[in-house]
Amino acid sequence: MAEARIAVAEPRVNTIEEIASPQSWKDVLGSFRSIITKRYYKVRNLIYNGVWPASLSNVRLTILTCIVLMLIEPSLTSGINASLWNIAHLLCIPQGCPRTLQALIVSSIVGIVSFIALMILRQSLLRLLLSYRGWMYENPKSHTILTTVWCGAVRLLSGYKPSLYSCQRSLPRLPVPSVKDTLNRLYESLKPLCTEEELKEIQMQGKEFESTLA
């Protein structure tokens, strides 16, 4: 009843005093803050789910490690240090640029590239592991060594606790059954429900449909 009364009631027009009141501006700012907050969490979750099972903290760790390796005494890590500075030369960074800034630029590029490579590798390995279905046919109280190793590998690659849609990129792609197999299953499921004449008619329609796809 309340909804019906609201629907037939005359629309209420706010006065200028009501629009300019502090409460109105507070409501507007509250709505704006709510929209910004929702957008922020939506983008954040999109990024987190996209890079899972890797973590964005890996980027910071890789960049920091590269900076330390580039600025540390070369005698301790001569090979890695030389390789990183060779990347700086390949990037054609001006020689007049401060050494710390050069290290930051190279470390950022190496860190981001390494992070993307690690993310793709972990997602591919996890997708490969999740294709294993042997655990479905085993006794829940006793697992084989293969299944135990598989569980450990999945746990190791999964990283931090995933959210609802984090596993989408890592799930194996299910094969789409062929039209012929689908029609055969349809015929088998309709046998108890249809007469022979009806089933033959459905089979003829199925063959006609299958011929249009060839």
Side-chain angles (χ1 to χ4, degrees):
M1 293 296 294
E3 289 80 2
R5 291 172 183 170
I6 293 174
V8 299
E10 294 184 1
R12 183 176 181 276
V13 180
N14 294 331
T15 62
I16 297 178
E17 290 77 9
E18 291 176 337
I19 295 175
S21 64
Q23 184 62 37
S24 298
W25 285 106
K26 188 181 295 184
D27 294 340
V28 171
L29 291 176
S31 301
F32 181 74
R33 189 186 304 114
S34 177
I35 293 173
I36 295 298
T37 303
K38 290 180 180 178
R39 292 289 178 87
Y40 165 75
Y41 282 108
K42 184 177 181 180
V43 173
R44 190 198 68 171
N45 292 336
L46 185 64
I47 295 174
Y48 282 0
N49 294 335
V51 302
W52 190 88
S55 175
L56 293 177
S57 60
N58 296 340
V59 181
R60 297 191 294 268
L61 181 61
T62 307
I63 293 175
L64 182 61
T65 303
C66 291
I67 292 176
V68 172
L69 290 174
M70 292 183 72
L71 299 179
I72 203 172
E73 184 65 29
S75 60
L76 299 177
T77 56
S78 57
I80 301 176
N81 186 284
S83 300
L84 291 173
W85 283 111
N86 287 335
I87 295 175
H89 296 314
L90 292 175
L91 294 175
C92 299
I93 299 176
Q95 295 296 328
C97 188
R99 185 179 177 86
T100 306
L101 183 57
Q102 293 184 35
L104 180 60
I105 294 173
V106 174
S107 301
S108 300
I109 295 175
V110 172
I112 293 173
V113 172
S114 302
F115 171 76
I116 294 174
L118 177 64
M119 177 190 68
I120 295 174
L121 178 63
R122 291 181 68 176
Q123 288 178 352
S124 302
L125 290 176
L126 194 58
R127 184 182 298 115
L128 182 63
L129 288 172
L130 292 177
S131 301
Y132 172 71
R133 296 182 177 86
W135 60 272
M136 299 173 62
Y137 309 102
E138 295 180 1
N139 187 351
K141 296 182 180 180
S142 60
H143 297 293
T144 61
I145 298 177
L146 179 61
T147 301
T148 304
V149 173
W150 171 78
C151 290
V154 171
R155 184 180 293 274
L156 181 64
L157 287 174
S158 296
Y160 62 93
K161 186 177 180 181
S163 60
L164 180 61
Y165 297 105
S166 294
C167 301
Q168 292 297 318
R169 289 176 175 268
S170 302
L171 291 176
R173 292 175 174 81
L174 297 177
V176 179
S178 62
V179 177
K180 185 175 182 180
D181 293 338
T182 304
L183 290 174
N184 290 334
R185 292 185 181 184
L186 175 65
Y187 303 149
E188 290 294 329
S189 62
L190 291 177
K191 276 184 180 180
L193 304 175
C194 301
T195 61
E196 292 185 3
E197 291 77 10
E198 292 174 341
L199 186 60
K200 288 181 180 179
E201 183 179 354
I202 293 174
Q203 289 176 345
M204 290 178 60
Q205 293 176 356
K207 290 180 180 179
E208 182 180 354
F209 172 74
E210 190 176 359
S211 64
T212 59
L213 301 177

